[in-house]
Amino acid sequence: MDKLQQNFIRIRKLLDMTFFRIIFFVVLGIVLFGAIYNNVKPEKLELSLFSVAENTIRSPATVEDKESTENKRKEAINQVQPVYALKNEYTQNRVDLITSIFQSVIEVNNEIEEDLRKQEEKASEETITIKEPSDSDKESQLKAKLTSSVSKDLSNQVFTALIHANNDELSIAKDLTVTAVSNVMTKRISADEVENAKKRVEEELKYTTLSDELKLAAIELGRYAVIQNEFYDSNATEELRQQASEKVEPVKILQGQIIAEEGELINQDIYRQLKLVGLINNNYSYKPFIGLVVLITIILSAIYYYFSQMEVLPEKRQTYLLLYGIIFILSIFIMKIISMLQVFSFEGIGYIFPAAMSGMLIKILIDEKLAIYMSILMAVCGSILFNEGITGTLNFSVGIYFLFSSIAAILFLNSQSRRSKILQAGTFAAMINVCTIGAFMLLPNGQYSGVEYGYYLITALVSGVSSAVLSVGLLPFFEASFGILSTIRLIELSNPNHPLLRKILMEAPGTYHHSVMVANLAESACEAIGANGLLARVGSYYHDIGKTKRPNFFIENQINHDNPHDKLPPDKSASIIIAHVIDGAEILRKYHMPKEIIDIAEQHHGTTLLKFFYHKALQSESTIKEEEFRYPGPKAQTKESAIVGIADSLEAAVRSLSQPTPELIDSFVKKIVTERLEDGQLNECDITMKEIEIVSHTLCETLKGIFHSRIEYPELTNTKQVKQA
């Protein structure tokens, strides 16, 4: 184990260099890519046109069938009927034309009458013969009022009939003709319906009371007036076709849609669809490769960013990074091994994966936020690795299952977790697994047999329990290999049955009591400034373990014993007192105690001066060196070590008081903290002046609670007084 730990230390030191950190992330990316690529690589089918499908073939993705969409749009366009517009103004124009013809005839008649009247007046004065115009003159006069096209289109019989009719007959004929034309042309008349419309006008005028000659003229005029009033509207037709085309929804081959049934002939259309979804001729498909590279880049970038922002010492950051990488690779390896069993058609084999293991290990060894991120990462990877037998790349059921299982276990663990708590968390995760799988089975209203329900129940239980078992089994390995002091490890070290604590209790009971008091003080002070209170407490338990080597040389253990220092020279006494720090570190190393505990034992006195023996030595020898009466150090490197050192000195000083008052306690705390500051004992740790002030206040309050005033009860001298009391 020591050799393995040394190898990890070497790797951790390499990670301090940017180049090797990049190599580390590249290795993680290669491992992830190698594990997942086969699950995203497009499926290849050895099929040819007009062969027979050996199995039912489903589409692996949703793809638009552009050819079918285009055919559907053409069909919709072809179904649009041409739009014909009704020209209502044509009706009015033809009515106006007929009216103007009749009006022209009436005008001609009026002009002829006026001319005859003038001739009659002139004849009365002079002997002149009145000359009436002939029919041809009347026709010529009428045609002069009409357009050449009208004159050409109408027969001479029409003009003859019109000039022979009087104005009243013409007015009646005009009204009848206009009415008939208007009635017919208010309806749509297409090119092939013109003749029928003319016949309708003819039928309507045939039964009028007009004279035969005028009736024939009215019929011809009516037929002449009726024309086509419905014409093809290209713009409206094109607009309707465009709307019909836009209403056509794209034809899609949906993910999971059956393209070919087992035993079905692969015709040209099926073959085209297989090519479209990428199941044929996909040897050069690079899209899954690019997509996976992008996904892995996002994952690794998030990990890199998280560790770069982690507010811990660089040495610890690299340790955490290496630890995270090993747990990540181990989890992916287990996941890949289990996913390979999918080839045996084990339904839901992914549910057996110990999804909560990685999250619990990260939560215990590093922190909770990173554990939750690991849970999300495992869910994403699992949804890809266990996609056998489903349509598409992601198995969302497995992904959600992994996420719920891991987060449930993480949340169940708390800051005071013991190893037994891990087993409870695994059991809780198993219960969540059962509920999650039950929900997945009930949501689609599926029909499952009792055997299937039992199978899924077993996989859920195995996943939760195996997560706990693997976590408990791997935790000591990671703690020992990386020298990580987890919360669980600290709680185990605080157990009074630990061999070293029993050793202190049995061999130096006064020191044991002193250590417990220091632990209470240090823990409350650390928690007040956000430091690790549990580490301070456990470190306080062991900080004076070196006193067990010579317990009687320390005053707290000299009950009913003479003080041996009274018979020793000051320098010898100082050496014995100073040695307890060195002896304690050796004992802790012998028992393979965590480095943080050893550091507290070595640093709690720093390089402080043994004033009592130093001044005693000065009385007998003036050339004594002060360095010989100082502890070897080092000075406190962490907040926890500094606070344990202050609490250690303070507890011993206050305990020496016969009647400690609140004022006296305040002065002692202020004095000891000031001496530590002036002596430079806190210069090498990252504690601030504001935190020192908070620590001082907390220590005062805790000491006042411990040494509060008590009521002095009167001594009872006889049994009767006892009973009365």
Side-chain angles (χ1 to χ4, degrees), residues 77-89:
I77 290 172
N78 293 334
Q79 289 178 354
V80 174
Q81 298 297 325
V83 178
Y84 291 88
L86 176 63
K87 302 290 186 178
N88 292 317
E89 63 272 19

Side-chain angles (χ1 to χ4, degrees), residues 567-625:
K567 302 176 182 179
L568 294 175
D571 57 339
K572 183 65 174 178
S573 296
S575 299
I576 294 173
I577 298 297
I578 291 172
H580 89 274
V581 173
I582 301 170
D583 295 337
E586 290 178 356
I587 294 172
L588 293 174
R589 289 191 182 95
K590 181 180 178 182
Y591 279 81
H592 302 289
M593 295 294 282
K595 182 178 181 299
E596 290 84 350
I597 304 300
I598 298 173
D599 288 344
I600 289 175
E602 283 185 321
Q603 299 169 15
H604 75 280
H605 281 298
T607 58
T608 54
L609 177 66
L610 285 168
K611 293 182 179 180
F612 178 80
F613 294 109
Y614 175 66
H615 290 296
K616 185 178 179 181
L618 284 176
Q619 294 175 1
S620 59
E621 186 177 353
S622 59
T623 60
I624 202 75
K625 293 182 179 180

Side-chain angles (χ1 to χ4, degrees), residues 510-522:
T511 298
Y512 181 85
H513 179 264
H514 161 73
S515 299
V516 171
M517 297 294 290
V518 171
N520 293 332
L521 294 170

Side-chain angles (χ1 to χ4, degrees), residues 177-234:
T177 305
V178 166
T179 301
V181 171
S182 179
N183 289 339
V184 172
M185 289 197 65
T186 52
K187 299 177 182 177
R188 290 179 177 270
I189 303 174
S190 60
D192 54 357
E193 288 290 327
V194 173
E195 185 59 35
N196 291 332
K198 291 179 182 293
K199 287 181 179 180
R200 289 199 298 272
V201 169
E202 183 178 343
E203 290 294 324
E204 191 169 336
L205 293 174
K206 187 184 292 184
Y207 301 102
T208 60
T209 58
L210 298 173
S211 63
D212 292 341
E213 188 181 12
L214 188 57
K215 182 186 296 183
L216 291 174
I219 289 173
E220 186 174 343
L221 285 170
R223 288 178 62 85
Y224 173 70
V226 172
I227 60 173
Q228 178 183 350
N229 65 359
E230 182 184 66
F231 296 90
Y232 174 71
D233 190 338
S234 60

